[in-house]
Amino acid sequence: NEAVRAIPLPDRKKEPEGMSPRERELLEDIAMNPLSVVTERYKRLEWSAHTGEKTKRKLLEKGLIEKERIGVPHGSVTLLKFTDNGHNLLVSWGYKIKTLPKNASLEHEYYKEITARRYREMGYEIRKEVKLARGRAVDLVATRGDERVAIEIETGKSDVEANVKKCRKAGFEHI
C-alpha cells in the first residue's frame, strides 16, 4: 500500500488590491462567527487588542464591515457585521453568509445566542425558532427532562404580553 498525502490546493480566493492577510482573516472570522463580540474574535485569532483594532479600523475604512455596539448589564459589547460590499466579497470567495431572520436585529440575535449558551451550560437542549400554531414561533425552547421552557428575547420592539399569551396557548408552563 502506498501512503497517500493530502496536498493543499493553492488558494483561489481573490482579494481586493491592498488587502492584508489579517484583514482577510478577520472577514472570514466574521463570516464563520457572526455573533461573536470583538474580544472573543481577537482571542480566537490569537491577536492582541492593538492588532485587532488596527485590522478592524482598516476594514471599516474600506467599507467592508460596520460595527454595532450593544448594551449589556455592565457596559456594552461590539459586534461586527458586513456591509453590502463586504457581503458580496465573501460570497465571491465561496462563503454562504447567513442573513438575519425576518424582523430580527443583530442585538436580538446576539441575546438569543447568549441565552442559548447559558441554558446549554445548565444542561438544557436548545431549539431555535420553534414553530407554533398559525405561523408563529418562539425564539428558543429549552428542554431538560420533562421541563420545557419557552424563551422570547425582548429588545423593546415587540409586544411582550402577546408573546407570553402565545407561549401559554402553546402549552408552555415556563416562559
Side-chain angles (χ1 to χ4, degrees):
N1 289 339
E2 286 186 33
V4 178
R5 287 189 311 158
I7 301 171
L9 295 173
D11 191 353
R12 299 183 197 282
K13 296 176 186 172
K14 301 226 170 159
E15 297 163 0
E17 191 71 31
M19 178 172 287
S20 74
R22 282 202 172 119
E23 291 168 356
R24 177 173 163 177
E25 195 173 357
L26 182 54
L27 288 171
E28 290 176 333
D29 189 75
I30 296 167
M32 294 184 295
N33 305 287
L35 297 174
S36 286
V37 299
V38 292
T39 53
E40 291 173 342
R41 286 188 195 291
Y42 301 164
K43 184 177 181 180
R44 184 174 39 253
L45 294 168
E46 299 179 352
W47 291 354
S48 68
H50 174 76
T51 298
E53 289 299 306
K54 182 178 169 185
T55 307
K56 177 182 77 176
R57 190 171 40 255
K58 287 180 182 177
L59 292 174
L60 286 165
E61 289 168 1
K62 291 178 180 182
L64 297 174
I65 62 170
E66 297 173 331
K67 62 182 179 178
E68 185 169 326
R69 195 171 292 276
I70 296 174
V72 295
H74 301 291
S76 64
V77 295
T78 302
L79 279 79
L80 303 175
K81 60 184 180 180
F82 294 116
T83 61
D84 289 341
N85 287 340
H87 179 274
N88 293 339
L89 176 63
L90 271 285
V91 167
S92 78
W93 289 351
Y95 284 91
K96 291 184 180 178
I97 308 298
K98 287 177 70 174
T99 56
L100 292 176
K102 185 178 177 184
N103 298 326
S105 66
L106 189 59
E107 177 184 26
H108 182 269
E109 292 304 298
Y110 170 74
Y111 276 115
K112 191 163 69 173
E113 181 61 29
I114 292 301
T115 303
R117 285 182 200 172
R118 288 196 178 133
Y119 271 83
R120 278 190 200 101
E121 289 169 2
M122 294 187 295
Y124 287 84
E125 287 186 32
I126 298 293
R127 291 182 15 224
K128 295 181 179 181
E129 296 300 324
V130 176
K131 302 293 179 209
L132 303 176
R134 296 184 194 169
R136 305 202 62 185
V138 62
D139 289 330
L140 302 169
V141 173
T143 307
R144 182 172 65 185
D146 293 335
E147 182 183 14
R148 282 183 350 135
V149 180
I151 303 166
E152 282 288 348
I153 306 301
E154 299 297 339
T155 58
K157 300 170 184 92
S158 61
D159 185 342
V160 176
E161 286 184 35
N163 279 335
V164 170
K165 285 179 186 177
K166 165 186 76 175
C167 293
R168 289 263 184 250
K169 201 171 194 177
F172 289 96
E173 290 181 32
H174 304 288
I175 303 168

